[in-house]
Structure formats: structure tokens, C-alpha cells
Amino acid sequence: EAGVVQSPRYKIIEKKQPVAFWCNPISGHNTLYWYRQNLGQGPELLIRYENEEAVDDSQLPKDRFSAERLKGVDSTLKIQPAELGDSAVYLCASSRQNNEQFFGPGTRLTVL
Amino acid sequence: RKEVEQDPGPFNVPEGATVAFNCTYSNSASQSFFWYRQDCRKEPKLLMSVYSSGNEDGRFTAQLNRASQYISLLIRDSKLSDSATYLCVVKDNFNKFYFGSGTKLNVKP
């Protein structure tokens, strides 16, 4: 079974630039999550999708972050404009029915 | 107060040692509990779910204590390859997952 796929793996941008991350979950997993992980911390949820519906986006900074999951499969997370404090690893995970989660390799974002 | 708290460590133990980590959670209505393992610069990987009756997988044993609101992970006969950060994860009664900051384990020869 293929795992969660994310791209790009690394991204370096200057502040105020836009950036987008892509995630393809494990086949058959209806729940998709985007997390942000800072060094020395655990992942923090940004948004959770059940199929194509965003059921929890309470931690998503909506002034600059947006996400979509068209057709309930792939998802993209966008930041526009990026700030220095957005430097982190952005992790995508998927699960069946919001249970045990499986993570992708993450995108390491550096904002200069 | 954080939803999930862990001792950051590091726990430095020799090969073959037994080591235990605890994790406390604040929401008494939490439903599900997990331990994840995260290697340096890698993604978290599911180690085991934690059931009310406790569960064991080889050298790893997980326990849940609902009355005191903590879960534990015991690793017996530590291997060098067990060196990693162990993340405690709790799903609350609103189906939201909370991750601890992790406990770092270093197993030394």
C-alpha cells in the first residue's frame, strides 16, 4: 500500500511570497489532516477534512492560510503571503474514519 | 495548560535497559490514545494504539490509567535503533487529536 505523498519536500522562499503544498493521501482514507510542526514541538493541527468537507479549521490562520480538498482526495495548503514565523515542517496525514493516522514525509519550509 | 504533556528528556539509557515514559492528558473525556515514534527529520510513525486493558507488542507495552489521566510506554531490552522521539497522542471527545511535544530517548552502546 502506497503511503501519503507530499510535495515539495523542501521549499525556501522570501517573506511575502506565496507558497503551496500538495498532499495525496493513502487510497481509501477519507480523513485528511494538515499539521505544522516546529522544532522541538509536536505536530499542531491546522485543518481536518472528512472527505471534501473541512470539519475543523479552528487553528488555521485564515488571514494568510487556505486549504482545499477537491473531490475528497488530494489536498493543497497555501500560504499567502508567507511570514518569517511560518518556517516549519508541514505534515499531511490521512486515516480511515478519523482514527490511526499515517503521515507523509512533510514539506520543510524556510522563509527568509 | 497543554492538552497533552510529556517529559522532554532526554532519557539516556544503555543497550538492554528497560525504560518507561509517561504522558498526562487534561481532558477526562478523551477517547483514544496512541504512541508515535519520530526519528530526527522524519515524519511521525504509529508505534501502537493504547487500549483500556493495556497492550503489548514485542518489547513495547502501553498502559492507560483513566483515573489519573495518563498513559505510559515501557520499552524492554532497549536497542540502539530505539533511539528516537516518542510522541504521545490523545483524541478528545470532539474527535480532535492532540500531540505531546515528545520524549527523546537515546540508547547508548
Side-chain angles (χ1 to χ4, degrees):
Chain A
E1 181 180 70
V4 176
V5 179
Q6 287 188 249
S7 69
R9 293 293 309 278
Y10 304 91
K11 190 74 176 177
I12 301 174
I13 60 172
E14 295 189 345
K15 63 182 180 182
K16 300 185 182 179
Q17 294 300 305
V19 65
F21 314 126
W22 175 80
C23 173
N24 180 246
I26 293 172
S27 178
H29 282 195
N30 65 312
T31 308
L32 184 147
Y33 316 78
W34 282 103
Y35 288 91
R36 176 168 58 189
Q37 186 174 26
N38 291 303
L39 191 64
Q41 301 295 317
E44 294 181 332
L45 182 70
L46 292 172
I47 189 167
R48 172 166 66 96
Y49 283 93
E50 298 285 349
N51 300 304
E52 63 273 12
E53 182 184 358
V55 297
D56 184 354
D57 64 355
S58 57
Q59 299 294 100
L60 190 72
K62 298 181 183 63
D63 56 336
R64 298 183 300 106
F65 287 64
S66 64
E68 62 181 9
R69 191 184 184 197
L70 299 176
K71 300 181 181 179
V73 181
D74 294 4
S75 178
T76 57
L77 177 69
K78 298 178 182 177
I79 309 174
Q80 182 170 11
E83 296 179 352
L84 295 176
D86 295 332
S87 294
V89 176
Y90 290 82
L91 293 161
C92 179
S94 69
S95 73
R96 292 183 195 277
Q97 307 300 332
N98 195 32
N99 205 357
E100 298 163 340
Q101 298 175 63
F102 296 86
F103 284 83
T107 297
R108 187 171 298 273
L109 175 66
T110 302
V111 182
L112 303 176
Chain B
R1 182 184 175 186
K2 287 186 177 181
E3 297 285 338
V4 178
E5 301 215 48
Q6 294 184 253
D7 181 342
F11 285 61
N12 298 307
V13 303
E15 269 187 294
T18 295
V19 62
F21 314 132
N22 279 346
C23 158
T24 59
Y25 59 95
S26 60
N27 185 349
S28 60
S30 294
Q31 299 178 339
S32 304
F33 309 88
F34 309 88
W35 283 103
Y36 278 73
R37 169 197 169 122
Q38 187 169 28
D39 293 290
C40 188
R41 301 180 73 86
K42 298 286 189 181
E43 72 273 23
K45 293 189 176 177
L46 180 66
L47 182 64
M48 58 200 308
S49 302
V50 186
Y51 305 120
S52 296
S53 56
N55 48 308
E56 186 174 313
D57 183 3
R59 299 181 293 108
F60 298 83
T61 300
Q63 298 279 353
L64 168 64
N65 185 318
R66 284 193 182 272
S68 300
Q69 293 180 213
Y70 76 85
I71 66 173
S72 63
L73 178 67
L74 180 79
I75 306 175
R76 289 181 297 277
D77 189 21
S78 298
K79 311 291 185 190
L80 295 176
S81 57
D82 294 334
S83 297
T85 296
Y86 290 84
L87 299 168
C88 171
V89 184
V90 174
K91 184 169 81 170
D92 71 10
N93 50 320
F94 296 103
N95 290 320
K96 187 163 184 171
F97 286 86
Y98 293 93
F99 284 72
S101 295
T103 297
K104 187 172 176 60
L105 172 66
N106 294 319
V107 181
K108 301 190 180 296

